[in-house]
Amino acid sequence: MVTHMRHTRSQTGTRRSHHALKSPTIMLCKDCGQPKGKHIMCANCGKYKGKVVVDIQKKIDKKHAKKQNKSK
Ligand SMILES: [Zn+2]
């Protein structure tokens, strides 16, 4: 460390005063009312902006099938 790099605690603290994390915005799904992240597809019904983006039931079935195959 070089002398001119040295900062006081105050300078460091002032810089870090902008480093706080913001909590993610939680919204309620318009279709099923479950909480979901903003600009993120609803994990409960697979919809985004009122349109079905992911077939959740199909995904669940696939997951179960994979689990059953593993246990054999
Ligand atoms: Zn939903």
Side-chain angles (χ1 to χ4, degrees):
M1 191 172 181
V2 192
T3 321
H4 74 265
M5 289 173 166
R6 196 177 293 148
H7 274 192
T8 62
R9 285 182 195 175
S10 169
Q11 281 174 303
T12 307
T14 305
R15 185 181 68 243
R16 289 181 186 172
S17 70
H18 303 285
H19 289 185
L21 295 175
K22 282 178 198 151
S23 56
T25 315
I26 304 290
M27 302 192 68
L28 294 180
C29 178
K30 277 180 190 171
D31 294 287
C32 65
Q34 288 291 311
K36 67 173 197 72
K38 209 173 179 184
H39 300 130
I40 292 172
M41 177 204 82
C42 175
N44 188 57
C45 63
K47 282 184 181 176
Y48 184 75
K49 270 186 161 180
K51 282 181 187 172
V52 177
V53 190
V54 172
D55 193 342
I56 292 289
Q57 195 55 48
K58 209 174 167 185
K59 222 175 173 184
I60 291 169
D61 292 342
K62 211 174 172 185
K63 208 173 181 181
H64 280 295
K66 207 174 178 186
K67 216 175 184 181
Q68 278 182 345
N69 279 343
K70 227 178 186 180
S71 62
K72 270 177 192 173

